[in-house]
Amino acid sequence: MSFRKDFIWGAATASYQIEGAAFEDGKGLSVWDEFSHWEGKIKEGHNGDVACDHYHLMKQDVALMKEMGIKNYRFSVSWPRVLPNGTGEVNEKGVAFYNELIDELLKNGIRPFVTLFHWDYPKALYDKGAWLNPDSPRWFEEYATLCAQRFGDRVKDFITFNEPQCFIGLGYVTGDHAPGLRMPPSTVVPMAHNALKGHGLAVKALRKYAPGCRVGYAPCGDAMIPLTETEADIAAARKAYFGTAHDPNGWVFSVAWWSDPVVLGHYPEDGLKYLEKYLPDGWEADLELIAQPLDFYAQNMYNGRLVRAKGDGFEYVELPVGHPKTAMQWPVTPDALYWGPKFLYERYHLPFIITENGMSGNDCVYVDGTVHDPQRINYMHRYLRALKRAAEDGVDVRGYFAWSLMDNFEWGFGYTERFGLVYVDMDTQQRIVKDSGCWYKTVMEENGENL
C-alpha cells in the first residue's frame, strides 16, 4: 500500500515565528509581542519583532518553496494583523498581505493550508479576559468568519487551532508561554471549554462562508509506545495515551480532554471525575456545538514515551542511557509516528494528517557555504518509515508537514533552536536550503516509495 497517490507532502510555519513586521501597517499587538519583551522570558533576550522578515520577503520565500518542490504549505494568519482589536474594524493592509501570499502560492502551484490560530492572541482581547470571557467563543467566530469570507474563495483547507494544549497549558498553567500566567483548574478548565466552543463556532463559520472547504483540528500530545508488541503492552500504551492525568496540571496536556469532545461529542469519563466541578453551568448543552463534523484530524507529533503493562494499568519505562536526543534534548523516538496515528485512528476514525514533525539541530554554515544536517535527514527518514508502516497497516494517513520550512523564532527558546529545512541568517536574512531540504524534495517526488 505505502502512501496514497494523493498524499499531501508539505512544510509548515506560524505567523509570529516568521513574519516580523510586528508593529507595521496597522497590525495590533498580540500577547507574544508583549511577552517576548519581558526580561528573562525568552532565551538570550530574543523577540519576534523581525523574525524571518517573511512579511517583506514573502515572494522570495514562496519562490524558494517552489524550488524545493513543496506543493503544500501550512501557515497561520495573525489574528491581530487582520483584526487589530480582535474584533470590529478590519485592517485591510493585513488582509491584503495574506491575499497576496495566497495568490503567490497558487501561482506557484502550492496549495495553502491555513491555520486560524497559532498562539498570537490579540492583546486587546486578552485585556478583556481572553478565553475566560464568556464572549470569547464569539470573538473567535468573528475572526474565523473574516478569514472564510476573505480567503475562502481560494483556500480550501483550514485548521482551527494549533495545539490548544499549549496555548492554554503553557500560557495559563505553567506560565512558560504568553501571556505567562499560572492559574488553577477552577479558572483554566472554563477557559479550555470556551476555546472548544470557539472551535465549534469557527467550523460552522467556515462551512457557511467558505462552502466546500475542508476543515481540521491540530492538537498535540506525546505518543505512547508499547515496550513490546504484546497485547498487554499495547493495551497499556493505549490506556496511557488517552488517560487524563490526575494531577493539578496534567489534564491540560492530555489528548482525550481536547479531542474527545471535538470528535466524539463527550469529555473523557476519567477526566470528568475530578474536573466536571470546574466546568461552567450547562456545559453539557455545548457539546453538540463543539463536536462539529471534521474532514480530517491532525496532530503535531515529535516524540513518544515507552509504556508497559503493570497489573491492570501501565507504567512508563525510561529510555536507555545515552538514547539519541535532538539539540533541544527531545528524545528521538521514530515509533511515535506509528503508534500515535494508529491509536488516534482507532479512536477517532478520521482521515489523519501529521501537521508538524521535525527536529532542532545544531545547524551552521560550513566552509563550503552550505548547511549539512545529516542528523535531520536520519530523523525524518526514520519517522517517515514509521508513518509509512502505519499507512500500510490501515491507518488513513493523508499527509505530512515538516516543521519547519525555515529556522524561526522558537517561542521561549528564541533563535537558539533551528528546526528549518532552510537555514536563516537572522542578521542578514539570507536563506540557504539545507541538505535535508534537498533530501525531502526527493522524498516528496518519489511519494516516499524509497524510504
Side-chain angles (χ1 to χ4, degrees):
M1 286 176 58
S2 190
F3 293 116
R4 305 161 53 97
K5 286 185 168 52
D6 59 353
F7 193 78
I8 299 163
W9 295 98
T13 64
S15 50
Y16 187 75
Q17 294 183 267
I18 68 166
E19 285 181 3
F23 315 107
E24 293 183 34
D25 288 345
K27 176 186 167 294
L29 290 177
S30 78
V31 291
W32 275 97
D33 291 318
E34 183 175 83
F35 183 78
S36 67
H37 285 268
W38 287 4
E39 185 176 352
K41 292 297 183 182
I42 311 297
K43 273 195 175 182
E44 300 183 11
H46 296 165
N47 60 64
D49 293 1
V50 176
C52 306
D53 203 22
H54 175 71
Y55 187 78
H56 297 111
L57 301 176
M58 177 270 292
K59 289 190 176 182
Q60 173 186 327
D61 289 337
V62 174
L64 192 60
M65 281 186 252
K66 183 178 182 180
E67 177 188 321
M68 295 170 67
I70 292 169
K71 298 193 183 315
N72 300 279
Y73 175 49
R74 179 188 172 220
F75 65 94
S76 71
V77 173
S78 169
W79 187 346
R81 192 178 294 285
V82 296
L83 285 169
N85 296 311
T87 62
E89 185 178 355
V90 175
N91 177 28
E92 294 297 344
K93 288 185 177 179
V95 172
F97 167 72
Y98 294 109
N99 274 325
E100 189 176 7
L101 168 59
I102 292 163
D103 289 343
E104 194 71 14
L105 290 168
L106 294 172
K107 187 171 76 176
N108 285 276
I110 301 170
R111 175 177 166 186
F113 281 72
V114 169
T115 302
L116 295 181
F117 183 58
H118 199 137
W119 306 359
D120 41 356
Y121 196 79
K123 174 68 164 53
L125 296 184
Y126 168 72
D127 291 341
K128 294 181 179 180
W131 296 108
L132 192 58
N133 191 312
D135 292 332
S136 59
R138 293 293 178 185
W139 298 339
F140 191 61
E141 177 189 31
E142 180 181 337
Y143 166 57
T145 297
L146 174 67
C147 291
Q149 290 174 331
R150 299 300 190 93
F151 313 135
D153 58 329
R154 288 150 295 146
V155 175
K156 298 304 176 187
D157 299 274
F158 288 93
I159 293 166
T160 56
F161 287 145
N162 179 82
E163 297 184 348
Q165 291 98 327
C166 293
F167 69 74
I168 295 293
L170 299 179
Y172 296 93
V173 177
T174 70
D176 293 326
H177 281 187
L181 301 181
R182 293 187 174 188
M183 306 175 83
S186 57
T187 302
V188 182
V189 170
M191 296 180 79
H193 186 73
N194 281 337
L196 291 179
K197 288 172 65 178
H199 159 83
L201 288 169
V203 175
K204 293 183 75 171
L206 290 166
R207 300 277 188 221
K208 180 177 180 179
Y209 295 105
C213 72
R214 293 167 289 269
V215 185
Y217 173 62
C220 62
D222 290 348
M224 298 299 161
I225 303 168
L227 182 64
T228 69
E229 295 196 13
T230 60
E231 287 187 16
D233 281 355
I234 291 171
R238 187 183 293 109
K239 186 172 185 177
Y241 200 19
F242 297 111
T244 306
H246 289 223
D247 63 64
N249 296 339
W251 69 272
V252 81
F253 298 105
S254 80
V255 171
W257 188 261
W258 290 99
S259 292
D260 281 12
V262 167
V263 184
L264 303 180
H266 59 76
Y267 281 107
E269 289 184 11
D270 67 333
L272 281 176
K273 287 178 183 177
Y274 65 103
L275 295 174
E276 182 177 2
K277 61 186 175 184
Y278 303 127
L279 284 166
D281 292 341
W283 63 270
E284 298 95 335
D286 298 326
L287 292 171
E288 184 178 355
L289 168 64
I290 291 169
Q292 294 300 306
L294 296 175
D295 298 290
F296 61 92
Y297 176 84
Q299 278 232 355
N300 300 343
M301 203 173 291
Y302 292 88
N303 51 65
R305 300 188 68 177
L306 288 178
V307 177
R308 67 182 167 203
K310 183 179 181 181
D312 293 333
F314 64 88
E315 65 178 0
Y316 296 113
V317 179
E318 294 299 320
L319 293 166
V321 174
H323 186 86
K325 295 181 179 178
T326 69
M328 209 170 184
Q329 297 303 298
W330 289 357
V332 178
T333 53
D335 282 343
L337 253 62
Y338 174 73
W339 290 104
K342 183 178 177 65
F343 287 147
L344 292 166
Y345 187 61
E346 283 177 357
R347 190 176 185 92
Y348 299 127
H349 306 289
L350 283 171
F352 183 79
I353 296 176
I354 291 288
T355 34
E356 288 183 23
N357 173 251
M359 62 160 283
S360 173
N362 295 313
D363 304 327
C364 62
V365 181
Y366 282 61
V367 291
D368 61 2
T370 61
V371 179
H372 304 296
D373 58 341
Q375 73 286 357
R376 183 170 289 103
I377 294 173
N378 181 62
Y379 175 103
M380 293 178 70
H381 196 154
R382 291 177 181 274
Y383 275 72
L384 283 168
R385 275 185 178 176
L387 186 64
K388 186 176 183 179
R389 180 189 168 202
E392 290 170 344
D393 279 3
V395 178
D396 188 4
V397 182
R398 299 287 179 94
Y400 171 93
F401 287 84
W403 184 269
S404 173
L405 172 66
M406 65 181 82
D407 296 336
N408 55 52
F409 179 83
E410 187 48 50
W411 307 114
F413 294 92
Y415 302 101
T416 65
E417 302 289 345
R418 294 181 177 272
F419 276 83
L421 300 171
V422 176
Y423 181 91
V424 179
D425 183 314
M426 296 302 170
D427 288 326
T428 66
Q429 294 299 336
Q430 180 188 14
R431 273 78 157 138
I432 302 172
V433 180
K434 302 176 188 179
D435 286 357
S436 59
C438 299
W439 173 84
Y440 189 47
K441 180 180 182 180
T442 300
V443 171
M444 292 186 288
E445 289 172 346
E446 297 173 345
N447 198 33
E449 289 297 328
N450 296 314
L451 289 168

